[in-house]
């Protein structure tokens, strides 16, 4: 069964460093998303991406964040200068976004980001 | 304002029994979708079941069923014949179909299945 793949599973970084979180969405999916979950809290939307551009972003997704689809398979989230409060689980999701698929977003296993 | 409300405290359920997880939602959008996801201790988010706002029947997927009461804006998840592997956090989420495609999640329900 096709799945969303995220790497690495755990990333430890020093405050102020740049990190890139990587995702390979399901191959025929068209919409891609990043969400985050701070430990013990609910999952929060960060950004959605379609047709090589951001289609929507939340207030959390400030200038420190960027997304890119550098090739036909990868979808990345970059945090330019990490802060302690960026420590969270980051989830990538993708969907085919049509009526037949019910717009179900399938999630990867997540990358746990720890900022020290 | 909270769009998805899950207020139950952690629940213990006996193996093979059924458990109901409550979810209420708030939207003025006539077209929306409701989702349940499972998050085991390993952390991944696993899609379980979907209910569309215009669906006439309650959704079912194997041991999972959704008790959809549109007038009350509730979408409770029922897990029948609980198994030890059902121990996890369960998140209710909503997507409003007009204007954006983000999912709004609730805070989750913790379920522990005991033998």
């Amino acid at each position: 069964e096709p799945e969303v793949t995220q790497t690495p599973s755990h990333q430890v970084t020093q405050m102020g460093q740049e990190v890139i979180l990587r995702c390979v969405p399901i191959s025929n999916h068209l919409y891609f998303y990043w969400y985050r979950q701070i430990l013990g809290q609910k999952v929060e939307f960060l950004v959605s991406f379609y047709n090589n551009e951001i289609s929507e972003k939340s207030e959390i997704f400030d200038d420190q964040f960027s997304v890119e689809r550098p090739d036909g398979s990868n979808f990345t989230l970059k945090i330019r200068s990490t802060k302690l409060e960026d420590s969270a689980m980051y989830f990538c999701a993708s969907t085919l976004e049509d009526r037949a698929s019910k717009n179900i977003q399938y999630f990867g296993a997540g990358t746990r980001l720890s900022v020290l | 304002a909270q769009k998805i409300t899950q207020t139950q405290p952690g629940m213990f359920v006996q193996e093979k029994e059924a458990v109901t997880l409550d979810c209420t939602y708030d939207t003025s959008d006539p077209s929306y979708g409701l989702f349940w996801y499972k998050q085991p201790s390993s952390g991944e988010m696993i899609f379980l079941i979907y209910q569309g706002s215009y669906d006439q029947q309650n959704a079912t997927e194997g041991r999972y069923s959704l008790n959809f009461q549109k007038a009350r804006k509730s979408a409770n998840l029922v897990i029948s014949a609980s198994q030890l592997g059902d121990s996890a956090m369960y998140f209710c989420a909503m997507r409003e179909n007009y204007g954006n495609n983000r999912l709004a999640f609730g805070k989750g329900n913790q379920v522990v299945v005991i033998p």
Side-chain angles (χ1 to χ4, degrees):
Chain A
E1 185 174 313
E3 60 180 21
V4 177
T5 306
Q6 288 186 246
T7 54
S9 56
H10 191 190
Q11 174 89 47
V12 181
T13 189
Q14 294 288 327
M15 192 169 58
Q17 295 295 304
E18 174 184 287
V19 293
I20 297 176
L21 309 183
R22 301 180 193 280
C23 170
V24 178
I26 295 173
S27 61
N28 63 336
H29 283 187
L30 301 175
Y31 281 78
F32 315 116
Y33 307 84
W34 284 100
Y35 292 83
R36 80 171 185 192
Q37 185 183 30
I38 294 171
L39 188 63
Q41 298 188 23
K42 64 181 178 181
V43 178
E44 301 172 292
F45 169 79
L46 292 177
V47 66
S48 60
F49 192 87
Y50 170 73
N51 200 25
N52 283 320
E53 61 183 27
I54 291 173
S55 53
E56 189 192 0
K57 60 183 180 180
S58 73
E59 52 283 355
I60 301 168
F61 193 88
D62 61 22
D63 292 344
Q64 290 298 311
F65 292 89
S66 62
V67 288
E68 196 176 35
R69 189 157 161 82
D71 53 43
S73 58
N74 290 286
F75 178 52
T76 62
L77 174 70
K78 182 193 290 187
I79 309 175
R80 270 182 256 287
S81 177
T82 50
K83 303 189 275 285
L84 294 176
E85 53 265 38
D86 292 328
S87 294
M89 180 78 99
Y90 287 81
F91 290 104
C92 175
S94 70
T95 184
L96 191 52
E97 198 73 23
D98 66 0
R99 286 184 184 275
S101 72
K102 303 173 183 176
N103 303 322
I104 294 168
Q105 293 181 24
Y106 292 94
F107 284 69
T111 294
R112 183 165 297 285
L113 178 64
S114 300
V115 182
L116 306 179
Chain B
Q2 292 281 347
K3 286 186 178 288
I4 297 287
T5 303
Q6 296 178 261
T7 56
Q8 286 166 304
M11 303 174 71
F12 290 90
V13 59
Q14 202 75 41
E15 199 177 4
K16 298 179 185 170
E17 291 188 351
V19 59
T20 298
L21 307 181
D22 295 341
C23 171
T24 59
Y25 59 91
D26 181 29
T27 181
S28 55
D29 191 334
S31 177
Y32 52 89
L34 297 159
F35 305 79
W36 278 91
Y37 287 86
K38 172 184 177 182
Q39 187 177 42
S41 57
S42 49
E44 67 267 35
M45 293 288 286
I46 303 166
F47 166 73
L48 295 178
I49 194 167
Y50 163 85
Q51 180 82 45
S53 59
Y54 292 120
D55 292 345
Q56 295 295 313
Q57 294 190 320
N58 287 343
T60 60
E61 288 284 349
R63 294 187 297 111
Y64 304 108
S65 60
L66 205 151
N67 182 3
F68 180 46
Q69 298 188 46
K70 193 170 182 177
R72 297 179 61 185
K73 293 188 175 178
S74 75
N76 298 341
L77 176 70
V78 180
I79 306 173
S80 61
S82 297
Q83 301 172 356
L84 296 178
D86 294 335
S87 296
M89 282 288 284
Y90 289 82
F91 291 94
C92 180
M94 177 175 66
R95 177 201 149 125
E96 293 166 304
N97 288 344
Y98 291 150
N100 61 62
N101 47 17
R102 67 171 71 183
L103 289 178
F105 282 83
K107 292 184 177 180
N109 298 100
Q110 179 75 53
V111 172
V112 176
V113 180
I114 51 178

